[in-house]
Each structure stands twice: as structure tokens, then as C-alpha cells.
Amino acid sequence: MKVKIFFIFSLLLLFSGLNAVQATNNPAESRYVKVEQSQKNRICMVKNYYIAAADFSDINVTIDDKIYYGCCPGCKQALSNSKQHHFSYYSVDGKEVKVDKAIAGCILADRENKGAVHYFNSDKECDDFVKNPDSYSFIK
């Protein structure tokens, strides 16, 4: 029950936090929020969503000096038991790219998709995605 209440409260905070970011003239740029490296503890890396007001610092797993965050004890267990949640994959220009979520160079949260996150290896990849999101497909 506590987890459900926390999740609902988190979603409410998500919408308020994401909408607080100043919009730009470019609709694609205003849709995505860059998550700072210091804010990775606000991402559930199992469910792949960002909540601006969350702090999942106590729900993490360290593997090979890399920290992976989850939003609940079930996510912590999933991160501990399987590497499938440690990585994100996308395809661009026919090339598949693998990103380690703990060391991603750039992370974008999607305002239109309830804070869903996309992981990239660099700021350049983030910028390219924002300019031309239709050229990317994300692989679970």
C-alpha cells in the first residue's frame, strides 16, 4: 500500500517538476528535459522514468563501481539479479547503440510521456535526438 501511495505521489510531483522547466521556441526541445548527472538518483532505471522531486538514493545497487537506481525494493532486486536493466538500446541510421544507464553521458526525460527517460552516450547524441527524434527508435 505504501508503494502505491508513493508511486501516485511521485507521478504528481513528476508533472509539477517537468512543467516547471522553461519552454523554448522549438517544440522538440521543450518536450525533453535534460537530467543532470547529479540527478540520476531521481530515475528508476528499471521502469525508466524520471521524477524531479524524487530521491531514490537509498534504493540503489552498486556494480563495478557504477550505481544503478530503482524506485522500490522490487526494482532494487531486479537491478541486483539481472543486467538487463543496466543497459538501454536504441537504433539510429540502422545502427544499434548500447548505453550503460549508470554512466550515460546524457539522459533526457520526456514531458509528453510521463517522464520516460532516454539514455545516450554523449551530449551530442542528445542534441541530435532532440533535433530529429523520428530518426531514432528505442529498443527495450
Side-chain angles (χ1 to χ4, degrees), residues 14 18 32-35 39-40 42-51 88-89 101 106-111 113-120 129 138 140:
L14 164 75
L18 288 178
Y32 299 99
V33 177
K34 189 177 277 189
V35 179
Q39 296 177 328
K40 284 185 180 179
R42 298 173 182 190
I43 297 172
C44 176
M45 294 181 177
V46 173
K47 297 177 181 157
N48 294 311
Y49 66 84
Y50 168 78
I51 298 176
S88 177
Y89 301 87
K101 295 176 183 180
C106 183
I107 303 169
L108 295 176
D110 184 345
R111 284 191 184 107
N113 194 8
K114 300 179 184 176
V117 293
H118 301 299
Y119 304 88
F120 300 91
F129 169 74
F138 293 91
K140 287 205 170 202

PDB file of all heavy atoms in Angstrom, residues 14 18 32-35 39-40 42-51 88-89 101 106-111 113-120 129 138 140:
ATOM      1  N   LEU A  14       6.075  14.471 -10.513  1.00  0.00           N
ATOM      2  CA  LEU A  14       6.673  14.427 -11.842  1.00  0.00           C
ATOM      3  C   LEU A  14       6.087  15.501 -12.734  1.00  0.00           C
ATOM      4  O   LEU A  14       6.795  16.275 -13.359  1.00  0.00           O
ATOM      5  CB  LEU A  14       6.456  13.056 -12.472  1.00  0.00           C
ATOM      6  CG  LEU A  14       6.677  12.957 -13.982  1.00  0.00           C
ATOM      7  CD1 LEU A  14       8.157  12.982 -14.277  1.00  0.00           C
ATOM      8  CD2 LEU A  14       6.043  11.702 -14.516  1.00  0.00           C
ATOM      9  N   LEU A  18       8.337  18.568 -14.093  1.00  0.00           N
ATOM     10  CA  LEU A  18       8.658  18.671 -15.512  1.00  0.00           C
ATOM     11  C   LEU A  18       8.064  19.919 -16.132  1.00  0.00           C
ATOM     12  O   LEU A  18       8.653  20.519 -17.013  1.00  0.00           O
ATOM     13  CB  LEU A  18       8.161  17.439 -16.264  1.00  0.00           C
ATOM     14  CG  LEU A  18       8.938  16.153 -16.024  1.00  0.00           C
ATOM     15  CD1 LEU A  18       8.296  15.005 -16.790  1.00  0.00           C
ATOM     16  CD2 LEU A  18      10.384  16.287 -16.412  1.00  0.00           C
ATOM     17  N   TYR A  32      11.579  17.764 -24.114  1.00  0.00           N
ATOM     18  CA  TYR A  32      12.561  16.982 -23.371  1.00  0.00           C
ATOM     19  C   TYR A  32      13.301  17.819 -22.337  1.00  0.00           C
ATOM     20  O   TYR A  32      13.645  18.957 -22.587  1.00  0.00           O
ATOM     21  CB  TYR A  32      13.563  16.340 -24.336  1.00  0.00           C
ATOM     22  CG  TYR A  32      12.886  15.401 -25.300  1.00  0.00           C
ATOM     23  CD1 TYR A  32      12.580  15.806 -26.590  1.00  0.00           C
ATOM     24  CD2 TYR A  32      12.507  14.131 -24.896  1.00  0.00           C
ATOM     25  CE1 TYR A  32      11.932  14.952 -27.471  1.00  0.00           C
ATOM     26  CE2 TYR A  32      11.852  13.272 -25.768  1.00  0.00           C
ATOM     27  CZ  TYR A  32      11.564  13.690 -27.049  1.00  0.00           C
ATOM     28  OH  TYR A  32      10.909  12.849 -27.909  1.00  0.00           O
ATOM     29  N   VAL A  33      13.546  17.204 -21.198  1.00  0.00           N
ATOM     30  CA  VAL A  33      14.287  17.837 -20.111  1.00  0.00           C
ATOM     31  C   VAL A  33      15.578  17.056 -19.931  1.00  0.00           C
ATOM     32  O   VAL A  33      15.543  15.831 -19.767  1.00  0.00           O
ATOM     33  CB  VAL A  33      13.477  17.788 -18.795  1.00  0.00           C
ATOM     34  CG1 VAL A  33      14.283  18.369 -17.649  1.00  0.00           C
ATOM     35  CG2 VAL A  33      12.153  18.489 -18.949  1.00  0.00           C
ATOM     36  N   LYS A  34      16.702  17.755 -19.969  1.00  0.00           N
ATOM     37  CA  LYS A  34      17.978  17.078 -19.744  1.00  0.00           C
ATOM     38  C   LYS A  34      18.130  16.827 -18.240  1.00  0.00           C
ATOM     39  O   LYS A  34      17.993  17.742 -17.430  1.00  0.00           O
ATOM     40  CB  LYS A  34      19.140  17.920 -20.254  1.00  0.00           C
ATOM     41  CG  LYS A  34      20.460  17.167 -20.230  1.00  0.00           C
ATOM     42  CD  LYS A  34      21.596  17.983 -20.801  1.00  0.00           C
ATOM     43  CE  LYS A  34      21.593  17.861 -22.302  1.00  0.00           C
ATOM     44  NZ  LYS A  34      22.795  18.448 -22.921  1.00  0.00           N
ATOM     45  N   VAL A  35      18.386  15.588 -17.891  1.00  0.00           N
ATOM     46  CA  VAL A  35      18.583  15.199 -16.491  1.00  0.00           C
ATOM     47  C   VAL A  35      20.071  15.347 -16.190  1.00  0.00           C
ATOM     48  O   VAL A  35      20.910  14.736 -16.852  1.00  0.00           O
ATOM     49  CB  VAL A  35      18.130  13.742 -16.247  1.00  0.00           C
ATOM     50  CG1 VAL A  35      18.374  13.349 -14.800  1.00  0.00           C
ATOM     51  CG2 VAL A  35      16.657  13.575 -16.620  1.00  0.00           C
ATOM     52  N   GLN A  39      21.453  14.183 -10.811  1.00  0.00           N
ATOM     53  CA  GLN A  39      20.050  13.840 -10.582  1.00  0.00           C
ATOM     54  C   GLN A  39      19.704  12.411 -11.013  1.00  0.00           C
ATOM     55  O   GLN A  39      18.540  12.055 -11.092  1.00  0.00           O
ATOM     56  CB  GLN A  39      19.144  14.814 -11.335  1.00  0.00           C
ATOM     57  CG  GLN A  39      19.262  16.238 -10.852  1.00  0.00           C
ATOM     58  CD  GLN A  39      18.395  17.169 -11.666  1.00  0.00           C
ATOM     59  OE1 GLN A  39      18.178  16.965 -12.857  1.00  0.00           O
ATOM     60  NE2 GLN A  39      17.894  18.201 -11.016  1.00  0.00           N
ATOM     61  N   LYS A  40      20.701  11.585 -11.246  1.00  0.00           N
ATOM     62  CA  LYS A  40      20.428  10.198 -11.637  1.00  0.00           C
ATOM     63  C   LYS A  40      19.659   9.462 -10.554  1.00  0.00           C
ATOM     64  O   LYS A  40      18.937   8.519 -10.836  1.00  0.00           O
ATOM     65  CB  LYS A  40      21.723   9.461 -11.951  1.00  0.00           C
ATOM     66  CG  LYS A  40      22.305   9.824 -13.290  1.00  0.00           C
ATOM     67  CD  LYS A  40      23.518   8.972 -13.592  1.00  0.00           C
ATOM     68  CE  LYS A  40      24.090   9.347 -14.939  1.00  0.00           C
ATOM     69  NZ  LYS A  40      25.274   8.558 -15.259  1.00  0.00           N
ATOM     70  N   ARG A  42      17.134  10.338  -9.223  1.00  0.00           N
ATOM     71  CA  ARG A  42      15.715  10.646  -9.415  1.00  0.00           C
ATOM     72  C   ARG A  42      15.109   9.824 -10.554  1.00  0.00           C
ATOM     73  O   ARG A  42      14.008  10.092 -11.002  1.00  0.00           O
ATOM     74  CB  ARG A  42      15.542  12.137  -9.689  1.00  0.00           C
ATOM     75  CG  ARG A  42      16.010  12.977  -8.517  1.00  0.00           C
ATOM     76  CD  ARG A  42      16.002  14.430  -8.814  1.00  0.00           C
ATOM     77  NE  ARG A  42      16.525  15.132  -7.642  1.00  0.00           N
ATOM     78  CZ  ARG A  42      16.491  16.413  -7.482  1.00  0.00           C
ATOM     79  NH1 ARG A  42      15.965  17.170  -8.415  1.00  0.00           N
ATOM     80  NH2 ARG A  42      16.979  16.968  -6.399  1.00  0.00           N
ATOM     81  N   ILE A  43      15.875   8.840 -11.012  1.00  0.00           N
ATOM     82  CA  ILE A  43      15.433   7.979 -12.116  1.00  0.00           C
ATOM     83  C   ILE A  43      15.291   6.555 -11.600  1.00  0.00           C
ATOM     84  O   ILE A  43      16.193   6.046 -10.927  1.00  0.00           O
ATOM     85  CB  ILE A  43      16.455   7.990 -13.259  1.00  0.00           C
ATOM     86  CG1 ILE A  43      16.587   9.378 -13.868  1.00  0.00           C
ATOM     87  CG2 ILE A  43      16.083   6.965 -14.333  1.00  0.00           C
ATOM     88  CD1 ILE A  43      17.709   9.502 -14.873  1.00  0.00           C
ATOM     89  N   CYS A  44      14.197   5.921 -11.942  1.00  0.00           N
ATOM     90  CA  CYS A  44      14.071   4.485 -11.728  1.00  0.00           C
ATOM     91  C   CYS A  44      14.611   3.841 -12.998  1.00  0.00           C
ATOM     92  O   CYS A  44      14.015   3.997 -14.070  1.00  0.00           O
ATOM     93  CB  CYS A  44      12.624   4.061 -11.483  1.00  0.00           C
ATOM     94  SG  CYS A  44      12.477   2.261 -11.341  1.00  0.00           S
ATOM     95  N   MET A  45      15.723   3.161 -12.895  1.00  0.00           N
ATOM     96  CA  MET A  45      16.377   2.579 -14.064  1.00  0.00           C
ATOM     97  C   MET A  45      15.768   1.241 -14.478  1.00  0.00           C
ATOM     98  O   MET A  45      16.171   0.675 -15.493  1.00  0.00           O
ATOM     99  CB  MET A  45      17.875   2.462 -13.820  1.00  0.00           C
ATOM    100  CG  MET A  45      18.545   3.818 -13.700  1.00  0.00           C
ATOM    101  SD  MET A  45      20.319   3.672 -13.446  1.00  0.00           S
ATOM    102  CE  MET A  45      20.783   5.409 -13.435  1.00  0.00           C
ATOM    103  N   VAL A  46      14.791   0.760 -13.719  1.00  0.00           N
ATOM    104  CA  VAL A  46      14.057  -0.436 -14.123  1.00  0.00           C
ATOM    105  C   VAL A  46      12.831  -0.025 -14.926  1.00  0.00           C
ATOM    106  O   VAL A  46      12.592  -0.504 -16.019  1.00  0.00           O
ATOM    107  CB  VAL A  46      13.650  -1.287 -12.900  1.00  0.00           C
ATOM    108  CG1 VAL A  46      12.752  -2.442 -13.309  1.00  0.00           C
ATOM    109  CG2 VAL A  46      14.885  -1.797 -12.168  1.00  0.00           C
ATOM    110  N   LYS A  47      12.077   0.923 -14.392  1.00  0.00           N
ATOM    111  CA  LYS A  47      10.859   1.387 -15.068  1.00  0.00           C
ATOM    112  C   LYS A  47      11.147   2.532 -16.039  1.00  0.00           C
ATOM    113  O   LYS A  47      10.279   2.935 -16.799  1.00  0.00           O
ATOM    114  CB  LYS A  47       9.824   1.788 -14.029  1.00  0.00           C
ATOM    115  CG  LYS A  47       9.405   0.598 -13.186  1.00  0.00           C
ATOM    116  CD  LYS A  47       8.436   0.973 -12.108  1.00  0.00           C
ATOM    117  CE  LYS A  47       8.088  -0.271 -11.295  1.00  0.00           C
ATOM    118  NZ  LYS A  47       7.628   0.044  -9.976  1.00  0.00           N
ATOM    119  N   ASN A  48      12.357   3.074 -15.981  1.00  0.00           N
ATOM    120  CA  ASN A  48      12.826   4.119 -16.889  1.00  0.00           C
ATOM    121  C   ASN A  48      11.946   5.366 -16.885  1.00  0.00           C
ATOM    122  O   ASN A  48      11.433   5.784 -17.915  1.00  0.00           O
ATOM    123  CB  ASN A  48      12.998   3.567 -18.302  1.00  0.00           C
ATOM    124  CG  ASN A  48      14.104   2.547 -18.356  1.00  0.00           C
ATOM    125  OD1 ASN A  48      15.199   2.789 -17.866  1.00  0.00           O
ATOM    126  ND2 ASN A  48      13.813   1.396 -18.916  1.00  0.00           N
ATOM    127  N   TYR A  49      11.786   5.959 -15.714  1.00  0.00           N
ATOM    128  CA  TYR A  49      11.107   7.242 -15.618  1.00  0.00           C
ATOM    129  C   TYR A  49      11.833   8.135 -14.631  1.00  0.00           C
ATOM    130  O   TYR A  49      12.549   7.666 -13.753  1.00  0.00           O
ATOM    131  CB  TYR A  49       9.624   7.096 -15.257  1.00  0.00           C
ATOM    132  CG  TYR A  49       9.361   6.534 -13.871  1.00  0.00           C
ATOM    133  CD1 TYR A  49       9.363   7.364 -12.754  1.00  0.00           C
ATOM    134  CD2 TYR A  49       9.090   5.188 -13.689  1.00  0.00           C
ATOM    135  CE1 TYR A  49       9.128   6.859 -11.500  1.00  0.00           C
ATOM    136  CE2 TYR A  49       8.844   4.684 -12.428  1.00  0.00           C
ATOM    137  CZ  TYR A  49       8.865   5.522 -11.329  1.00  0.00           C
ATOM    138  OH  TYR A  49       8.640   5.025 -10.082  1.00  0.00           O
ATOM    139  N   TYR A  50      11.652   9.429 -14.814  1.00  0.00           N
ATOM    140  CA  TYR A  50      12.291  10.475 -14.013  1.00  0.00           C
ATOM    141  C   TYR A  50      11.228  11.217 -13.229  1.00  0.00           C
ATOM    142  O   TYR A  50      10.192  11.580 -13.776  1.00  0.00           O
ATOM    143  CB  TYR A  50      13.027  11.433 -14.951  1.00  0.00           C
ATOM    144  CG  TYR A  50      13.489  12.721 -14.323  1.00  0.00           C
ATOM    145  CD1 TYR A  50      14.623  12.759 -13.528  1.00  0.00           C
ATOM    146  CD2 TYR A  50      12.793  13.907 -14.552  1.00  0.00           C
ATOM    147  CE1 TYR A  50      15.060  13.951 -12.972  1.00  0.00           C
ATOM    148  CE2 TYR A  50      13.228  15.102 -13.999  1.00  0.00           C
ATOM    149  CZ  TYR A  50      14.359  15.123 -13.209  1.00  0.00           C
ATOM    150  OH  TYR A  50      14.788  16.294 -12.668  1.00  0.00           O
ATOM    151  N   ILE A  51      11.508  11.439 -11.946  1.00  0.00           N
ATOM    152  CA  ILE A  51      10.622  12.243 -11.101  1.00  0.00           C
ATOM    153  C   ILE A  51      11.487  13.330 -10.469  1.00  0.00           C
ATOM    154  O   ILE A  51      12.375  13.037  -9.659  1.00  0.00           O
ATOM    155  CB  ILE A  51       9.930  11.398 -10.023  1.00  0.00           C
ATOM    156  CG1 ILE A  51       9.064  10.333 -10.678  1.00  0.00           C
ATOM    157  CG2 ILE A  51       9.104  12.288  -9.096  1.00  0.00           C
ATOM    158  CD1 ILE A  51       8.415   9.373  -9.718  1.00  0.00           C
ATOM    159  N   SER A  88      20.443   0.380 -21.900  1.00  0.00           N
ATOM    160  CA  SER A  88      19.385   0.854 -22.781  1.00  0.00           C
ATOM    161  C   SER A  88      19.911   0.725 -24.207  1.00  0.00           C
ATOM    162  O   SER A  88      21.118   0.829 -24.441  1.00  0.00           O
ATOM    163  CB  SER A  88      19.080   2.322 -22.453  1.00  0.00           C
ATOM    164  OG  SER A  88      18.115   2.840 -23.315  1.00  0.00           O
ATOM    165  N   TYR A  89      19.004   0.504 -25.138  1.00  0.00           N
ATOM    166  CA  TYR A  89      19.390   0.331 -26.539  1.00  0.00           C
ATOM    167  C   TYR A  89      18.512   1.200 -27.427  1.00  0.00           C
ATOM    168  O   TYR A  89      17.324   1.350 -27.178  1.00  0.00           O
ATOM    169  CB  TYR A  89      19.201  -1.130 -26.975  1.00  0.00           C
ATOM    170  CG  TYR A  89      19.994  -2.109 -26.163  1.00  0.00           C
ATOM    171  CD1 TYR A  89      19.481  -2.629 -24.974  1.00  0.00           C
ATOM    172  CD2 TYR A  89      21.258  -2.521 -26.575  1.00  0.00           C
ATOM    173  CE1 TYR A  89      20.213  -3.540 -24.221  1.00  0.00           C
ATOM    174  CE2 TYR A  89      21.987  -3.433 -25.830  1.00  0.00           C
ATOM    175  CZ  TYR A  89      21.459  -3.934 -24.648  1.00  0.00           C
ATOM    176  OH  TYR A  89      22.187  -4.829 -23.906  1.00  0.00           O
ATOM    177  N   LYS A 101      23.273   2.609 -18.415  1.00  0.00           N
ATOM    178  CA  LYS A 101      22.472   3.642 -17.754  1.00  0.00           C
ATOM    179  C   LYS A 101      23.234   4.363 -16.643  1.00  0.00           C
ATOM    180  O   LYS A 101      23.040   5.562 -16.440  1.00  0.00           O
ATOM    181  CB  LYS A 101      21.191   3.036 -17.181  1.00  0.00           C
ATOM    182  CG  LYS A 101      20.250   2.507 -18.244  1.00  0.00           C
ATOM    183  CD  LYS A 101      19.049   1.828 -17.604  1.00  0.00           C
ATOM    184  CE  LYS A 101      18.138   1.219 -18.633  1.00  0.00           C
ATOM    185  NZ  LYS A 101      16.968   0.559 -18.014  1.00  0.00           N
ATOM    186  N   CYS A 106      24.359  11.451 -21.277  1.00  0.00           N
ATOM    187  CA  CYS A 106      23.233  12.372 -21.351  1.00  0.00           C
ATOM    188  C   CYS A 106      21.940  11.575 -21.191  1.00  0.00           C
ATOM    189  O   CYS A 106      21.799  10.490 -21.759  1.00  0.00           O
ATOM    190  CB  CYS A 106      23.242  13.102 -22.695  1.00  0.00           C
ATOM    191  SG  CYS A 106      21.926  14.329 -22.856  1.00  0.00           S
ATOM    192  N   ILE A 107      21.023  12.131 -20.414  1.00  0.00           N
ATOM    193  CA  ILE A 107      19.729  11.499 -20.190  1.00  0.00           C
ATOM    194  C   ILE A 107      18.658  12.552 -20.415  1.00  0.00           C
ATOM    195  O   ILE A 107      18.749  13.663 -19.900  1.00  0.00           O
ATOM    196  CB  ILE A 107      19.615  10.934 -18.759  1.00  0.00           C
ATOM    197  CG1 ILE A 107      20.735   9.933 -18.485  1.00  0.00           C
ATOM    198  CG2 ILE A 107      18.244  10.277 -18.547  1.00  0.00           C
ATOM    199  CD1 ILE A 107      20.850   9.523 -17.031  1.00  0.00           C
ATOM    200  N   LEU A 108      17.641  12.191 -21.190  1.00  0.00           N
ATOM    201  CA  LEU A 108      16.522  13.092 -21.440  1.00  0.00           C
ATOM    202  C   LEU A 108      15.243  12.500 -20.855  1.00  0.00           C
ATOM    203  O   LEU A 108      14.973  11.313 -21.022  1.00  0.00           O
ATOM    204  CB  LEU A 108      16.320  13.308 -22.939  1.00  0.00           C
ATOM    205  CG  LEU A 108      17.430  14.009 -23.694  1.00  0.00           C
ATOM    206  CD1 LEU A 108      17.098  14.056 -25.184  1.00  0.00           C
ATOM    207  CD2 LEU A 108      17.663  15.412 -23.165  1.00  0.00           C
ATOM    208  N   ALA A 109      14.462  13.338 -20.186  1.00  0.00           N
ATOM    209  CA  ALA A 109      13.137  12.946 -19.708  1.00  0.00           C
ATOM    210  C   ALA A 109      12.107  13.557 -20.645  1.00  0.00           C
ATOM    211  O   ALA A 109      12.228  14.706 -21.063  1.00  0.00           O
ATOM    212  CB  ALA A 109      12.906  13.442 -18.281  1.00  0.00           C
ATOM    213  N   ASP A 110      11.104  12.790 -20.972  1.00  0.00           N
ATOM    214  CA  ASP A 110      10.083  13.177 -21.943  1.00  0.00           C
ATOM    215  C   ASP A 110       8.840  13.684 -21.211  1.00  0.00           C
ATOM    216  O   ASP A 110       8.144  12.914 -20.563  1.00  0.00           O
ATOM    217  CB  ASP A 110       9.754  11.955 -22.805  1.00  0.00           C
ATOM    218  CG  ASP A 110       8.782  12.237 -23.931  1.00  0.00           C
ATOM    219  OD1 ASP A 110       8.114  13.294 -23.915  1.00  0.00           O
ATOM    220  OD2 ASP A 110       8.677  11.391 -24.838  1.00  0.00           O
ATOM    221  N   ARG A 111       8.557  14.979 -21.328  1.00  0.00           N
ATOM    222  CA  ARG A 111       7.386  15.573 -20.668  1.00  0.00           C
ATOM    223  C   ARG A 111       6.079  14.971 -21.167  1.00  0.00           C
ATOM    224  O   ARG A 111       5.131  14.845 -20.418  1.00  0.00           O
ATOM    225  CB  ARG A 111       7.335  17.071 -20.947  1.00  0.00           C
ATOM    226  CG  ARG A 111       8.303  17.869 -20.170  1.00  0.00           C
ATOM    227  CD  ARG A 111       7.928  19.346 -20.350  1.00  0.00           C
ATOM    228  NE  ARG A 111       8.896  20.161 -19.683  1.00  0.00           N
ATOM    229  CZ  ARG A 111       9.805  20.889 -20.312  1.00  0.00           C
ATOM    230  NH1 ARG A 111       9.851  20.911 -21.617  1.00  0.00           N
ATOM    231  NH2 ARG A 111      10.653  21.596 -19.629  1.00  0.00           N
ATOM    232  N   ASN A 113       5.518  12.001 -22.176  1.00  0.00           N
ATOM    233  CA  ASN A 113       5.389  10.570 -21.896  1.00  0.00           C
ATOM    234  C   ASN A 113       5.679  10.287 -20.421  1.00  0.00           C
ATOM    235  O   ASN A 113       6.446   9.393 -20.091  1.00  0.00           O
ATOM    236  CB  ASN A 113       6.320   9.772 -22.810  1.00  0.00           C
ATOM    237  CG  ASN A 113       6.005   8.303 -22.830  1.00  0.00           C
ATOM    238  OD1 ASN A 113       5.001   7.855 -22.294  1.00  0.00           O
ATOM    239  ND2 ASN A 113       6.883   7.539 -23.434  1.00  0.00           N
ATOM    240  N   LYS A 114       5.088  11.086 -19.548  1.00  0.00           N
ATOM    241  CA  LYS A 114       5.125  10.887 -18.095  1.00  0.00           C
ATOM    242  C   LYS A 114       6.531  10.726 -17.535  1.00  0.00           C
ATOM    243  O   LYS A 114       6.771   9.924 -16.650  1.00  0.00           O
ATOM    244  CB  LYS A 114       4.266   9.688 -17.705  1.00  0.00           C
ATOM    245  CG  LYS A 114       2.813   9.841 -18.084  1.00  0.00           C
ATOM    246  CD  LYS A 114       2.015   8.626 -17.711  1.00  0.00           C
ATOM    247  CE  LYS A 114       0.587   8.783 -18.212  1.00  0.00           C
ATOM    248  NZ  LYS A 114      -0.221   7.603 -17.958  1.00  0.00           N
ATOM    249  N   GLY A 115       7.490  11.453 -18.064  1.00  0.00           N
ATOM    250  CA  GLY A 115       8.847  11.412 -17.533  1.00  0.00           C
ATOM    251  C   GLY A 115       9.675  10.229 -17.996  1.00  0.00           C
ATOM    252  O   GLY A 115      10.725   9.956 -17.425  1.00  0.00           O
ATOM    253  N   ALA A 116       9.215   9.520 -19.022  1.00  0.00           N
ATOM    254  CA  ALA A 116      10.008   8.408 -19.558  1.00  0.00           C
ATOM    255  C   ALA A 116      11.386   8.937 -19.944  1.00  0.00           C
ATOM    256  O   ALA A 116      11.516  10.062 -20.421  1.00  0.00           O
ATOM    257  CB  ALA A 116       9.313   7.806 -20.778  1.00  0.00           C
ATOM    258  N   VAL A 117      12.418   8.146 -19.710  1.00  0.00           N
ATOM    259  CA  VAL A 117      13.769   8.615 -19.992  1.00  0.00           C
ATOM    260  C   VAL A 117      14.385   7.880 -21.175  1.00  0.00           C
ATOM    261  O   VAL A 117      14.051   6.728 -21.457  1.00  0.00           O
ATOM    262  CB  VAL A 117      14.701   8.490 -18.759  1.00  0.00           C
ATOM    263  CG1 VAL A 117      14.277   9.432 -17.660  1.00  0.00           C
ATOM    264  CG2 VAL A 117      14.771   7.078 -18.250  1.00  0.00           C
ATOM    265  N   HIS A 118      15.279   8.608 -21.844  1.00  0.00           N
ATOM    266  CA  HIS A 118      16.088   8.067 -22.931  1.00  0.00           C
ATOM    267  C   HIS A 118      17.543   8.317 -22.548  1.00  0.00           C
ATOM    268  O   HIS A 118      17.903   9.426 -22.149  1.00  0.00           O
ATOM    269  CB  HIS A 118      15.778   8.754 -24.257  1.00  0.00           C
ATOM    270  CG  HIS A 118      14.344   8.642 -24.677  1.00  0.00           C
ATOM    271  ND1 HIS A 118      13.718   7.438 -24.914  1.00  0.00           N
ATOM    272  CD2 HIS A 118      13.415   9.592 -24.892  1.00  0.00           C
ATOM    273  CE1 HIS A 118      12.467   7.649 -25.271  1.00  0.00           C
ATOM    274  NE2 HIS A 118      12.257   8.956 -25.256  1.00  0.00           N
ATOM    275  N   TYR A 119      18.356   7.291 -22.676  1.00  0.00           N
ATOM    276  CA  TYR A 119      19.770   7.356 -22.310  1.00  0.00           C
ATOM    277  C   TYR A 119      20.618   7.459 -23.568  1.00  0.00           C
ATOM    278  O   TYR A 119      20.361   6.778 -24.558  1.00  0.00           O
ATOM    279  CB  TYR A 119      20.176   6.089 -21.552  1.00  0.00           C
ATOM    280  CG  TYR A 119      19.343   5.806 -20.330  1.00  0.00           C
ATOM    281  CD1 TYR A 119      18.167   5.073 -20.413  1.00  0.00           C
ATOM    282  CD2 TYR A 119      19.742   6.267 -19.074  1.00  0.00           C
ATOM    283  CE1 TYR A 119      17.402   4.796 -19.290  1.00  0.00           C
ATOM    284  CE2 TYR A 119      18.987   5.998 -17.949  1.00  0.00           C
ATOM    285  CZ  TYR A 119      17.816   5.265 -18.062  1.00  0.00           C
ATOM    286  OH  TYR A 119      17.063   4.997 -16.944  1.00  0.00           O
ATOM    287  N   PHE A 120      21.667   8.291 -23.502  1.00  0.00           N
ATOM    288  CA  PHE A 120      22.581   8.476 -24.624  1.00  0.00           C
ATOM    289  C   PHE A 120      24.012   8.476 -24.098  1.00  0.00           C
ATOM    290  O   PHE A 120      24.249   8.788 -22.933  1.00  0.00           O
ATOM    291  CB  PHE A 120      22.297   9.799 -25.346  1.00  0.00           C
ATOM    292  CG  PHE A 120      20.899   9.873 -25.906  1.00  0.00           C
ATOM    293  CD1 PHE A 120      19.864  10.410 -25.157  1.00  0.00           C
ATOM    294  CD2 PHE A 120      20.615   9.396 -27.175  1.00  0.00           C
ATOM    295  CE1 PHE A 120      18.576  10.475 -25.667  1.00  0.00           C
ATOM    296  CE2 PHE A 120      19.331   9.456 -27.694  1.00  0.00           C
ATOM    297  CZ  PHE A 120      18.305   9.993 -26.928  1.00  0.00           C
ATOM    298  N   PHE A 129      19.261  13.777 -31.188  1.00  0.00           N
ATOM    299  CA  PHE A 129      17.932  13.198 -30.977  1.00  0.00           C
ATOM    300  C   PHE A 129      16.866  14.289 -30.904  1.00  0.00           C
ATOM    301  O   PHE A 129      15.817  14.187 -31.532  1.00  0.00           O
ATOM    302  CB  PHE A 129      17.903  12.347 -29.704  1.00  0.00           C
ATOM    303  CG  PHE A 129      16.519  11.946 -29.299  1.00  0.00           C
ATOM    304  CD1 PHE A 129      15.829  10.964 -29.994  1.00  0.00           C
ATOM    305  CD2 PHE A 129      15.889  12.571 -28.236  1.00  0.00           C
ATOM    306  CE1 PHE A 129      14.526  10.604 -29.629  1.00  0.00           C
ATOM    307  CE2 PHE A 129      14.606  12.214 -27.861  1.00  0.00           C
ATOM    308  CZ  PHE A 129      13.927  11.239 -28.560  1.00  0.00           C
ATOM    309  N   PHE A 138      13.733   3.227 -30.115  1.00  0.00           N
ATOM    310  CA  PHE A 138      14.246   2.699 -28.854  1.00  0.00           C
ATOM    311  C   PHE A 138      13.858   1.242 -28.716  1.00  0.00           C
ATOM    312  O   PHE A 138      12.737   0.837 -28.990  1.00  0.00           O
ATOM    313  CB  PHE A 138      13.737   3.543 -27.689  1.00  0.00           C
ATOM    314  CG  PHE A 138      14.322   4.921 -27.724  1.00  0.00           C
ATOM    315  CD1 PHE A 138      13.669   5.946 -28.403  1.00  0.00           C
ATOM    316  CD2 PHE A 138      15.537   5.183 -27.148  1.00  0.00           C
ATOM    317  CE1 PHE A 138      14.234   7.206 -28.479  1.00  0.00           C
ATOM    318  CE2 PHE A 138      16.115   6.439 -27.216  1.00  0.00           C
ATOM    319  CZ  PHE A 138      15.453   7.455 -27.891  1.00  0.00           C
ATOM    320  N   LYS A 140      13.742  -2.083 -26.265  1.00  0.00           N
ATOM    321  CA  LYS A 140      13.720  -2.450 -24.838  1.00  0.00           C
ATOM    322  C   LYS A 140      14.719  -3.506 -24.529  1.00  0.00           C
ATOM    323  O   LYS A 140      15.192  -4.227 -25.297  1.00  0.00           O
ATOM    324  CB  LYS A 140      12.334  -2.916 -24.447  1.00  0.00           C
ATOM    325  CG  LYS A 140      11.394  -1.748 -24.373  1.00  0.00           C
ATOM    326  CD  LYS A 140      10.272  -2.062 -23.454  1.00  0.00           C
ATOM    327  CE  LYS A 140       9.504  -0.794 -23.212  1.00  0.00           C
ATOM    328  NZ  LYS A 140       8.749  -0.782 -22.066  1.00  0.00           N
TER     329      LYS A 140
END
